[in-house]
Amino acid sequence: GWVMSQGRLRTVLYVDDEPDIREIVELALGLVDGLQVAVCESGERALQRLPDITPDLVLLDVMMPGTDGPTTLQRMRADPRFANIPVVFVTAKAMPAEVARFRELGAVAVIAKPFDPLQFGQQIVAIWEGLDHGRA
């Protein structure tokens, strides 16, 4: 794997209702040195587990039954404990209008499905390194 600059990104939570995609993401992010990956199968489960996982970054599938990605993000933003955790949407609907809407909702980035598993870890690291970590 590659070494993280300053080892800043330590824990990522990936939320997706499709087991095979969760597995691909676990494998893909497992290539990144020193990165812990947690996965959840629903927005509800993610919100329950966030206090225990305390991820640096959350990756949300947009289309999920029950609590979808945008709803999960809104509920995170409404909770002071999770309000500042950056969120990336992962979606098959990555048209410019949708990307703009997801950014308005507060997503720091949008990754299109299907993604290249071999590039996925580098993509996540690049997004993380591009964030303004000076914010309180």
Side-chain angles (χ1 to χ4, degrees), residues 24-38:
I24 289 166
V25 166
E26 279 189 287
L27 291 168
L29 293 181
L31 299 171
V32 181
D33 288 340
L35 185 61
Q36 284 193 298
V37 188

Side-chain angles (χ1 to χ4, degrees), residues 52-134:
D52 300 323
I53 299 169
T54 59
D56 297 314
L57 188 66
V58 174
L59 310 176
L60 290 176
D61 180 28
V62 171
M63 304 274 289
M64 294 184 285
T67 308
D68 65 5
T71 306
T72 305
L73 174 57
Q74 283 168 331
R75 287 173 58 187
M76 282 177 64
R77 290 295 172 259
D79 187 321
R81 295 173 299 170
F82 317 136
N84 294 319
I85 301 175
V87 168
V88 174
F89 280 137
V90 183
T91 179
K93 297 175 119 182
M95 301 298 285
E98 275 136 357
V99 171
R101 184 171 72 85
F102 297 146
R103 285 190 171 274
E104 276 167 30
L105 292 173
V108 296
V110 179
I111 291 178
K113 285 181 177 179
F115 49 78
D116 176 353
L118 296 176
Q119 300 297 321
F120 191 72
Q122 281 167 301
Q123 251 182 308
I124 299 304
V125 170
I127 288 167
W128 175 257
E129 290 179 346
L131 294 176
D132 172 12
H133 295 288

